[in-house]
């Protein structure tokens, strides 16, 4: 098994349904490895993987590292600060150097949309997008979908609410692409200033009324809200934001009994999600974190360990 | 040596002429256009059968990067590139480093052009000192040195009061103020046109309104204060509508667009192609159709290149980090032939009016028409010659074009400036 659409995973927008299914299926077997006494298997034993992060991250980097190690790959982390980018070499030069050192795959996070695509066009090795600007975060989208499937089975016609700052969210975009490919009904909810133009054309519904939309939702995926958006004049205060778009126990009473609440983390307690929900019975936030490792193992395995001919 | 151009299709929009004829150049001047002229001795004869013979093309809007960025372009390389594109006259923008915002800088460009360029180079002076939008430049003294128009292009004159003063002050000289219409707050941080494609690419959008609000403001200022306003690089549907309405009401306004705005849409960015990153950004299909309508009905007077050379290092980077702009001299004519004339959007006369007599009138030049005694600036075009755009062959120092690999029709055969052949591909 391998990903048919190419050497890289840059996003879910162009990823065919068959590839999504094959990643999800592989992720299920990877998750099984977690339950073993020795959590390590050999398929990527000779592979060198580099995580190249131009934005700080603890969770995603750690998740990729654990995934790579469980598959016996050797993994190196390069954390680049924005100040060293200004002084230093170009992105293309950096990855070409890494490739010259024997790197098989690079997992890249970058504040600028399209940076992983630029890398992919310039190296032979595999590129995995770990988040690029506001564009995509495909493994997050996949782990969200994996978690949804785990909780409720097939996603066709299931209603997924994505709540919050859609404009600046790569998680929202990857969710939208993957979920639409699998036939889910997606509604984005947030203040009009944080809904990107023409998002309806992706096939989602736009709403500003969370209380109405939450009633028949199967999943509520809550996005992190950043204070800098308030500073940019996009909403007036965190208090007002919480009142209009925060997920709390009171609001969840309106939802179905089996509603599932998700969050890509890190959470702002009391802002986009209240503590009673973040720690309450409906949330699957820690399942998402666990599944993140399984999904990333699947992606690494399919891109690097399949029967693909040697490049 | 005198030149006799035989039996070409003379397209001379200023004289409303499109027909087969001979054209005689004596010395530096146009001598005669007649159905047949006998070659005298000591005359170079160019057999132009099947060719188009047009007044030398004039580019109202380009960036030559001199002074400041000689790795990207110089007056020598830029004018050579322009000559290869059929241009005999070009007007270069003031946003060099340092900017062309005083008489000495205008003189620098004129002197450098006299020494290095085989075509005519007309400097456009800055509207405000340092392009800072705060103080008017010495327009009168700059005109004495050869400035032909004024613009802070690259950025708008944000302060409405300053724009008012510029339009008013320029009136006494009869020169045009060229406006780069962009509301800086609406456009801030934007990377491409705002819409479905910016949404799916995760790039910050620049709304069409950022252009249209400024077009609207400038038209109102020009109406009230009677200056001659020229709107640079029109890219949106509503801008075209606004200019059309203003012209109907008698506002003294002219407008230009560029080949990329009638050829490409924002879809050109789907693979994050930094060579298609330009300001104003490539717009929607609807906008492109409106630009074509505006060209056809005369709302848009001029086709300019906005030739904006950038070295590879500024383009082969992350999209957001990439410079905006594209080189245009060596693709403009073919795109006009392929996209406008061949597709019958414009007649030959209409198309070449926008590249000859119209820009000449805006710059107050005695050029852009075949008139006895005028400078013999002539462009000869092989309208059927097909080619594939190959940026590596450009004479420009920079190769940043989104048209690389595109099949086009219409190639320059000769570029003649003041009776001298400065480029030949025959």
């Amino acid at each position: 098994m391998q990903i048919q659409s190419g050497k890289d995973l840059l996003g879910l927008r162009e990823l065919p349904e068959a590839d999504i299914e094959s990643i999800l299926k592989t992720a299920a077997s990877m998750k099984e490895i977690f339950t073993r006494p020795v959590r390590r298997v050999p398929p990527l034993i000779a592979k060198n993987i580099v995580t190249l992060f131009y934005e700080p991250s603890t969770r995603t980097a750690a998740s990729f590292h654990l995934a790579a190690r469980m598959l016996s790959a050797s993994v190196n982390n390069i954390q680049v600060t924005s100040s060293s980018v200004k002084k230093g070499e170009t992105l293309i030069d950096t990855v070409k150097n890494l490739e010259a050192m024997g790197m098989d795959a690079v997992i890249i996070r970058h504040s600028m949309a399209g940076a992983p695509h630029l890398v992919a066009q310039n190296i032979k090795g595999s590129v995995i997008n770990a988040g690029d600007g506001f564009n995509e975060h495909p493994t997050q989208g996949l782990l969200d979908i994996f978690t949804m499937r785990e909780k409720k089975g097939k996603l066709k016609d299931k209603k997924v609410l994505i709540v919050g700052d859609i404009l600046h969210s790569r998680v929202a975009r990857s969710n939208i692409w993957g979920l639409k490919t699998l036939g889910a009904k997606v509604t984005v909810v947030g203040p009009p200033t944080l809904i990107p133009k023409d998002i309806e054309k992706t096939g989602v519904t736009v709403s500003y009324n969370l209380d109405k939309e939450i009633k028949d939702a199967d999943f509520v995926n809550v996005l992190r809200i950043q204070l800098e958006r308030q500073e940019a004049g996009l909403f007036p205060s965190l208090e007002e934001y919480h009142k209009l778009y925060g997920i709390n126990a009171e609001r969840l009473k309106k939802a179905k009994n089996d509603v599932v609440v998700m969050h890509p983390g890190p959470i702002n307690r009391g802002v986009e999600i209240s503590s009673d929900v973040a720690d309450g019975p409906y949330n699957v936030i820690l399942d998402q974190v666990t599944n993140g490792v399984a999904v990333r193992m699947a992606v690494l395995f399919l891109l690097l360990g399949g029967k693909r001919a040697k490049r | 040596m005198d030149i006799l151009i035989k039996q070409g299709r003379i397209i001379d929009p200023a004289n409303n002429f499109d027909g087969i004829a001979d054209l005689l150049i004596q010395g530096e001047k146009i001598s005669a256009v007649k159905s047949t002229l006998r070659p005298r001795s000591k005359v170079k004869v160019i057999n132009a059968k099947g060719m188009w013979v047009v007044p030398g093309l004039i580019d109202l809007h380009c960036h030559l990067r001199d002074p400041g960025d000689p790795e990207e372009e110089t007056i020598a390389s830029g004018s050579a590139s322009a000559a290869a594109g059929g241009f005999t006259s070009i007007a270069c923008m003031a946003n060099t480093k340092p900017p062309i915002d005083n008489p000495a800088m205008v003189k620098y460009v004129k002197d450098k052009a006299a020494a290095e360029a085989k075509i005519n180079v007309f400097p456009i002076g800055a509207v405000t000192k340092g392009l800072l939008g705060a103080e008017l430049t010495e327009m009168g003294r700059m005109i004495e040195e050869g400035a032909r128009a004024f613009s802070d292009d690259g950025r708008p004159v944000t302060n409405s009061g300053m724009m008012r003063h510029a339009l008013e002050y320029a009136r006494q000289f009869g020169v045009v103020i060229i406006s780069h219409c962009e509301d800086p707050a609406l456009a801030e941080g934007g990377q491409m046109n705002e819409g479905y494609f910016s949404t799916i690419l995760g790039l910050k959008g620049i709304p069409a309104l950022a252009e249209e609000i400024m077009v609207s403001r400038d038209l109102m200022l020009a109406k009230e204060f009677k200056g001659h306003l020229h709107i640079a690089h029109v890219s949106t549907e509503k801008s075209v509508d606004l200019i059309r309405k203003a012209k109907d009401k008698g506002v003294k306004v002219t407008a230009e667009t560029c080949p990329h705005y009638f050829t490409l849409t924002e879809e050109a960015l789907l693979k994050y192609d930094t060579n298609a990153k330009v300001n104003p950004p490539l717009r929607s299909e609807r906008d492109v159709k409106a630009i074509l309508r505006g060209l056809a009905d005369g709302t848009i007077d001029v086709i300019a290149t906005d030739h904006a050379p950038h070295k590879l290092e500024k383009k082969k980077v992350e999209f957001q980090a990439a410079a905006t702009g594209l080189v245009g001299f060596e693709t403009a004519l073919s795109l006009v032939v392929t996209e406008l004339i061949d597709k019958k959007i414009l007649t030959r006369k209409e198309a070449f009016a926008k590249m000859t007599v119209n820009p000449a009138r805006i710059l107050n030049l005695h050029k852009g028409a075949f008139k006895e005694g005028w400078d013999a600036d002539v462009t000869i075009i092989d309208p059927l010659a097909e080619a594939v755009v190959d940026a590596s062959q450009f004479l420009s120092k920079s190769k940043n074009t989104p048209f690389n690999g595109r099949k086009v029709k219409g190639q320059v055969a000769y570029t003649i400036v003041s009776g001298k052949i400065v480029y030949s591909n025959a």
Side-chain angles (χ1 to χ4, degrees), chain B residues 59-127:
Chain B
D59 187 10
L60 187 54
H61 188 152
C62 69
H63 300 267
L64 295 181
R65 306 283 185 242
D66 191 350
D69 292 299
E71 284 177 54
E72 300 192 326
E73 204 77 283
T74 59
I75 289 174
S77 67
S79 59
S81 168
F87 292 97
T88 56
S89 296
I90 56 178
C92 56
M93 283 295 174
N95 65 337
T96 48
K97 296 172 197 162
I100 306 168
D101 65 349
N102 63 65
M105 285 303 302
V106 175
K107 187 169 188 305
Y108 166 87
V109 173
K110 288 298 284 184
D111 288 352
K112 197 107 188 271
E116 291 181 1
K118 289 178 181 161
I119 65 169
N120 306 295
V121 177
F122 297 104
I124 295 171
V127 173

Side-chain angles (χ1 to χ4, degrees), chain A residues 214-245:
Chain A
I214 208 167
K215 284 179 192 157
D216 58 347
D218 294 291
F219 301 95
V220 181
N221 202 349
V222 188
L223 302 174
R224 179 179 167 80
I225 187 84
Q226 286 177 314
L227 193 61
E228 63 185 87
R229 310 301 172 210
Q230 179 192 331
E231 288 155 0
L234 291 163
F235 66 94
S237 72
L238 294 176
E239 290 72 20
E240 176 150 318
Y241 182 86
H242 183 72
K243 185 169 181 338
L244 294 170
Y245 298 104

Side-chain angles (χ1 to χ4, degrees), chain B residues 151 224 304 312 341 418:
Chain B
S151 180
E224 188 70 20
L312 192 62
I341 298 174
S418 292

Side-chain angles (χ1 to χ4, degrees), chain A residues 34-48:
Chain A
F34 280 54
T35 61
R36 296 183 190 171
V38 176
R39 296 189 214 171
R40 186 166 288 220
V41 288
L44 301 190
I45 200 155
K47 300 291 181 185
N48 295 318

Side-chain angles (χ1 to χ4, degrees), chain A residues 13-14 91-92 110 112-114 117-118 121-122 134-135 173 177 196-199 201-202, chain B residues 194-204 270-272 313 315-321:
Chain A
R13 177 157 61 88
E14 289 176 321
L91 176 59
I92 293 173
H110 201 291
M112 295 181 186
H117 306 67
L118 180 69
Q121 287 156 17
N122 283 281
F134 313 145
N135 180 38
R173 284 176 180 75
W177 299 124
K197 196 173 177 210
D198 293 342
I199 187 84
K201 289 188 188 166
T202 64
Chain B
E194 181 174 282
Y196 173 70
F197 289 98
S198 65
T199 291
I200 72 169
L201 289 169
L203 291 169
K204 185 159 188 213
L270 265 177
K271 302 272 184 230
Y272 297 96
E313 293 93 310
K315 284 290 192 181
K316 209 177 169 183
V317 292
E318 299 88 329
F319 192 87
Q320 200 181 319

Side-chain angles (χ1 to χ4, degrees), chain A residues 134 162-173 189-191 193-196 222-226 228-229 234-235 241 245 272:
Chain A
F134 313 145
I162 305 175
V163 182
D165 181 359
I166 313 297
L167 180 62
H168 301 100
S169 178
R170 51 198 177 209
V171 175
R173 284 176 180 75
V189 187
T193 44
L194 295 176
I195 304 287
V222 188
L223 302 174
R224 179 179 167 80
I225 187 84
Q226 286 177 314
E228 63 185 87
R229 310 301 172 210
L234 291 163
F235 66 94
Y241 182 86
Y245 298 104
E272 73 268 0

Side-chain angles (χ1 to χ4, degrees), chain B residues 44-366:
Chain B
K44 177 183 167 67
V45 176
I46 294 175
N47 177 9
K49 223 170 182 178
M51 305 265 188
W52 295 349
V53 180
V54 303
L57 304 181
I58 300 171
D59 187 10
L60 187 54
H61 188 152
C62 69
H63 300 267
L64 295 181
R65 306 283 185 242
D66 191 350
D69 292 299
E71 284 177 54
E72 300 192 326
E73 204 77 283
T74 59
I75 289 174
S77 67
S79 59
S81 168
F87 292 97
T88 56
S89 296
I90 56 178
C92 56
M93 283 295 174
N95 65 337
T96 48
K97 296 172 197 162
I100 306 168
D101 65 349
N102 63 65
M105 285 303 302
V106 175
K107 187 169 188 305
Y108 166 87
V109 173
K110 288 298 284 184
D111 288 352
K112 197 107 188 271
E116 291 181 1
K118 289 178 181 161
I119 65 169
N120 306 295
V121 177
F122 297 104
I124 295 171
V127 173
T128 65
K129 290 174 188 163
L131 308 165
L132 296 173
E135 275 182 77
L136 287 181
T137 54
E138 294 178 309
M139 291 186 195
R141 294 182 62 207
M142 289 163 79
I143 289 166
E144 279 179 17
E145 294 294 347
R148 285 283 169 169
F150 293 89
S151 180
D152 278 358
D153 182 68
R155 59 177 76 171
V157 177
T158 308
N159 182 317
S160 304
M162 181 56 60
M163 189 62 180
R164 169 202 171 156
H165 296 320
L167 285 163
E168 284 184 318
Y169 193 77
R171 268 167 53 195
Q172 65 188 315
F173 308 114
V175 293
V176 65
I177 299 291
I178 302 176
S179 178
H180 166 116
C181 290
E182 176 181 6
D183 180 314
L186 277 173
E188 193 190 353
Q191 302 295 316
M192 66 177 293
N193 186 44
E194 181 174 282
Y196 173 70
F197 289 98
S198 65
T199 291
I200 72 169
L201 289 169
L203 291 169
K204 185 159 188 213
I206 302 169
L209 209 58
E211 175 174 316
E212 293 150 357
I213 279 183
M214 282 305 228
V215 168
S216 188
R217 181 202 74 169
D218 286 350
L219 290 170
M220 291 170 94
L221 288 171
K223 181 167 189 243
E224 188 70 20
F225 301 108
K226 306 276 191 293
H228 178 185
L229 171 71
H230 177 80
I231 312 273
H233 42 54
V234 172
S235 74
T236 82
E237 180 183 28
K238 284 201 195 73
S239 294
V240 176
D241 289 347
L242 288 163
I243 295 162
R244 185 182 293 122
K245 280 185 192 131
K247 284 187 161 186
D248 287 346
K249 286 182 185 153
V251 178
K252 200 174 176 194
V253 59
T254 52
E256 86 198 16
T257 192
C258 314
H260 40 285
Y261 299 120
F262 60 71
T263 309
L264 300 175
T265 69
E266 56 199 333
E267 276 195 75
L269 299 168
L270 265 177
K271 302 272 184 230
Y272 297 96
D273 179 8
T274 56
N275 283 325
K277 182 178 180 182
V278 59
N279 190 27
L282 298 176
R283 304 286 187 182
S284 69
E285 205 177 324
R286 196 186 159 111
D287 292 307
V288 170
K289 285 184 179 148
I291 297 290
L292 292 172
R293 280 197 304 277
L295 283 164
D297 71 12
T299 302
I300 298 173
D301 309 88
V302 169
I303 297 166
T305 65
D306 197 1
H307 178 83
H310 288 295
K311 55 188 166 192
L312 192 62
E313 293 93 310
K314 280 158 86 175
K315 284 290 192 181
K316 209 177 169 183
V317 292
E318 299 88 329
F319 192 87
Q320 200 181 319
T324 55
L326 50 95
V327 290
F329 286 144
E330 292 169 75
T331 49
L333 174 71
S334 319
L335 291 167
V336 168
V337 173
T338 312
E339 299 296 327
L340 300 180
I341 298 174
D342 260 23
K343 292 186 178 169
K344 304 208 184 305
I345 306 289
L346 297 179
T347 65
R348 293 183 291 257
K349 271 189 292 186
E350 287 167 341
F352 287 109
K354 295 177 199 298
M355 302 178 86
T356 58
V357 60
N358 293 357
R361 282 179 185 155
I362 291 165
L363 294 173
N364 296 318
L365 299 173
H366 283 175

